[in-house]
Amino acid sequence: MSTVIDKPNSSRNESDDSVPGTIQPLVDFAARPRANVTALCAILVCGLCARAALWWAWNGQPIQIVDAQDYHRLAVGLVETGSYLTPDGQPSSLRPPLYPWIVSQIYQVFGVENDAAVRAFQALLSLVTVLIVYRLGLLMYSDKVGLLAAVLACFYPSLLGFNNLILSETLFTFLVVCSTWLVVEGLHRNTVAWMIPAGAVFGLGALTRSILLLSIPFLAVFLLFAWRGGWFKKLSAAALLVAAFAATIAPWVVRNTQVQQVFTLIDVMGGRNAMMGNYEHTPLERSWATISIVTGEKSWDNVLRQAHPEVIGMTQGQLDKAAMKYGIRFVLANPVLTAKRVAVRFFNFWQLERTLVAGAQQGLWGHVPKPLLLSLAAVICGGYAFVIFLGIFGLILAPARNRRYHWLLIVSIAIPCLVHSAIFAHSRYHLPLMPLVMLFAAAALMQRKEIWRHREKWGFKLAILCCVVLMLGWARELVFVDLAHASQMIP
């Protein structure tokens, strides 16, 4: 018995692209809806006002987060010396280069340590992300879905907050959304030339967060199956994407390899992260904090030196390669423990967004009254729950008008999630993927009546099950991890 649900009078111009067991898209693929320019401008103007208010409220706050301090230090070093240096003045490959370089360019123009200028840049860049989200929604669904997704992206609480932190989230979010749009645009136009800017933007994304290195092979394979036309066109699309990506990162790869005396791509964090998430002393809970909570003889670097004394005196890159090998060997030798850790980290990745609330509670941005803190927690965590639940329903029950676009979003979300689950995961790492989730959420909102009418179908029950499992994961984290951690902190 067929489980495909069709809307009455809906056109099936691309019936081979329908997703079995789901409700079909709102609009005919051949219908090209005209953008509501007035509504989009209103969204952007209101978004600009909200960002300006937060920018003003954040003025004068010191840079407190350790990662932010490191980005700031690298940017100041670039202004003063033109080089990426460690605190002791040695060439560094510890972090990807693009974000500190952009911060340094802003410092060059507006003054060294002018973090207010950086925050203003990020606020404006986030509005460009909103525009791209709208375009993606229009291509994938309709102008109404595009506008609704733009509203969600424009006023999403965590994204608004991270605009004011000297962290790479805002830039990386833009690059993830932009690269996804360029691929969708190329698929929509069936023009392989679009894969050149797509590959270049993916390269810039990898130079911001090296995790995108692992997405490129999967995306290239995806294009071989998804691109319309013969094998020559399919291979051309995949090859252009990979070539543009490789050309973008090549200068930094050459520099890193010379500095580290071993082939090094973007940074020297991958191996040590893999080991910190996968060795004998990695905690099952809060493994993302291994570097700070596992110290002394049990720390990853001390364990590595004890097992392999030859790592003493190695470059950062050589040490990273040794750590990667150690982590892989441990995973292969302990499959059951690894599977358990991966499951826990999967829920860590999709945990409630509490980074900003935790920072405010710790006084990182001055005194925040308790009623305001509770309100912020409700808005941020509630906003995330609203979007992620709707996104689950949209992913399962509201496919894009073309299933190639639908699967592209799934791949773009799944690969970073799986990689972080295999190494170590924190809720902060899912934030750049949320605009893609919002596209599914907006589609579910627009089709809510149709979805509810088919609540007896298996897809609806699957969506409910996924939401319940996610909530149980949140509850487990709160009861068995957060409360236990808080009790240990009480003298």
Side-chain angles (χ1 to χ4, degrees):
M1 183 176 66
S2 174
T3 57
V4 176
I5 305 171
D6 287 317
K7 291 190 68 178
N9 302 320
S10 64
S11 174
R12 298 293 302 277
N13 290 348
E14 289 195 287
S15 58
D16 59 319
D17 280 343
S18 62
V19 180
T22 58
I23 299 169
Q24 295 307 307
L26 285 171
V27 295
D28 190 296
F29 179 77
R32 188 65 181 271
R34 186 173 59 185
N36 190 328
V37 177
T38 303
L40 184 59
C41 289
I43 293 169
L44 295 174
V45 169
C46 292
L48 180 61
C49 293
R51 284 158 174 77
L54 282 173
W55 178 88
W56 180 82
W58 226 283
N59 271 335
Q61 297 296 333
I63 301 175
Q64 298 275 27
I65 299 174
V66 173
D67 286 353
Q69 292 173 342
D70 204 29
Y71 283 127
H72 171 74
R73 180 190 58 78
L74 284 169
V76 172
L78 279 168
V79 173
E80 295 175 346
T81 68
S83 300
Y84 295 85
L85 302 175
T86 63
D88 59 1
Q90 299 300 313
S92 176
S93 304
L94 197 61
R95 291 190 181 274
L98 185 59
Y99 183 69
W101 181 83
I102 288 177
V103 174
S104 74
Q105 297 307 298
I106 296 172
Y107 285 172
Q108 286 271 24
V109 175
F110 296 98
V112 178
E113 303 192 19
N114 189 344
D115 65 289
V118 177
R119 295 188 294 105
F121 165 78
Q122 292 181 165
L124 294 175
L125 185 64
S126 70
L127 287 176
V128 180
T129 302
V130 171
L131 278 173
I132 299 173
V133 168
Y134 166 75
R135 176 63 180 170
L136 269 170
L138 187 149
L139 288 172
M140 293 180 62
Y141 294 98
S142 69
D143 59 337
K144 291 182 179 179
V145 170
L147 285 171
L148 187 52
V151 170
L152 294 175
C154 192
F155 300 104
Y156 190 70
S158 289
L159 290 175
L160 286 172
F162 270 85
N163 288 340
N164 290 282
L165 301 179
I166 309 302
L167 294 171
S168 61
E169 266 73 13
T170 300
L171 174 63
F172 190 60
T173 301
F174 164 76
L175 293 170
V176 167
V177 174
C178 185
S179 56
T180 304
W181 160 61
L182 289 168
V183 174
V184 170
E185 196 75 52
L187 289 169
H188 175 68
R189 298 171 183 270
N190 200 30
T191 305
V192 296
W194 279 86
M195 295 305 98
I196 298 175
V201 175
F202 264 105
L204 294 176
L207 291 171
T208 305
R209 292 266 187 91
S210 56
I211 193 169
L212 281 192
L213 283 170
L214 301 175
S215 296
I216 280 294
F218 291 96
L219 184 57
V221 172
F222 170 82
L223 290 177
L224 292 177
F225 290 94
W227 204 273
R228 297 295 191 195
W231 277 104
F232 178 78
K233 201 165 188 178
K234 293 173 181 287
L235 288 169
S236 297
L240 285 174
L241 180 88
V242 173
F245 176 86
T248 302
I249 68 172
W252 185 250
V253 174
V254 171
R255 178 263 184 195
N256 275 351
T257 301
Q258 291 174 343
V259 168
Q260 302 303 330
Q261 302 173 31
V262 66
F263 183 66
T264 303
L265 291 170
I266 304 299
D267 56 39
V268 292
M269 291 295 293
R272 63 192 67 200
N273 286 344
M275 181 176 170
M276 279 190 283
N278 297 282
Y279 79 120
E280 51 267 39
H281 302 302
T282 301
L284 181 62
E285 310 292 351
R286 300 169 64 88
S287 63
W288 47 267
T290 299
I291 195 170
S292 60
I293 64 178
V294 183
T295 57
E297 293 184 358
K298 295 181 178 181
S299 65
W300 73 273
D301 51 340
N302 191 61
V303 169
L304 185 61
R305 282 194 297 269
Q306 290 178 349
H308 302 282
E310 66 273 15
V311 304
I312 298 173
M314 283 185 173
T315 66
Q316 290 177 332
Q318 293 166 339
L319 182 67
D320 195 61
K321 294 290 189 294
M324 177 66 78
K325 292 177 182 177
Y326 191 103
I328 291 174
R329 285 196 296 268
F330 186 88
V331 166
L332 296 176
N334 300 273
V336 176
L337 175 60
T338 298
K340 188 175 182 180
R341 286 174 172 175
V342 168
V344 171
R345 287 193 289 249
F346 174 85
F347 286 100
N348 289 161
F349 186 82
W350 295 112
Q351 189 52 254
L352 292 169
E353 294 170 359
R354 298 174 294 175
T355 302
L356 294 172
V357 177
Q361 187 177 24
Q362 296 166 19
L364 297 186
W365 305 295
H367 174 69
V368 179
K370 190 171 183 179
L372 178 58
L373 186 64
L374 293 174
S375 299
L376 287 173
V379 170
I380 292 173
C381 294
Y384 170 62
F386 176 76
V387 170
I388 198 69
F389 289 156
L390 281 174
I392 290 171
F393 274 89
L395 185 152
I396 296 173
L397 291 163
R401 59 175 56 147
N402 187 305
R403 69 178 180 180
R404 296 176 298 161
Y405 309 161
H406 195 82
W407 280 107
L408 175 63
L409 253 65
I410 293 175
V411 170
S412 299
I413 294 169
I415 298 305
C417 171
L418 293 175
V419 172
H420 280 297
S421 299
I423 300 175
F424 64 79
H426 189 278
S427 62
R428 169 183 157 192
Y429 300 145
H430 77 235
L431 190 60
L433 304 178
M434 289 308 294
L436 303 183
V437 176
M438 291 170 198
L439 290 163
F440 289 136
L445 271 176
M446 292 303 300
Q447 299 193 47
R448 59 191 181 278
K449 293 181 180 179
E450 189 72 14
I451 289 173
W452 181 248
R453 278 201 294 268
H454 295 93
R455 58 189 176 276
E456 298 301 322
K457 299 293 182 179
W458 67 265
F460 188 92
K461 295 175 182 178
L462 176 61
I464 290 289
L465 177 62
C466 291
C467 293
V468 170
V469 169
L470 188 58
M471 285 192 293
L472 290 175
W474 295 345
R476 174 193 173 277
E477 180 85 6
L478 177 63
V479 174
F480 296 106
V481 181
D482 292 343
L483 293 181
H485 178 70
S487 64
Q488 293 173 2
M489 300 295 289
I490 299 174

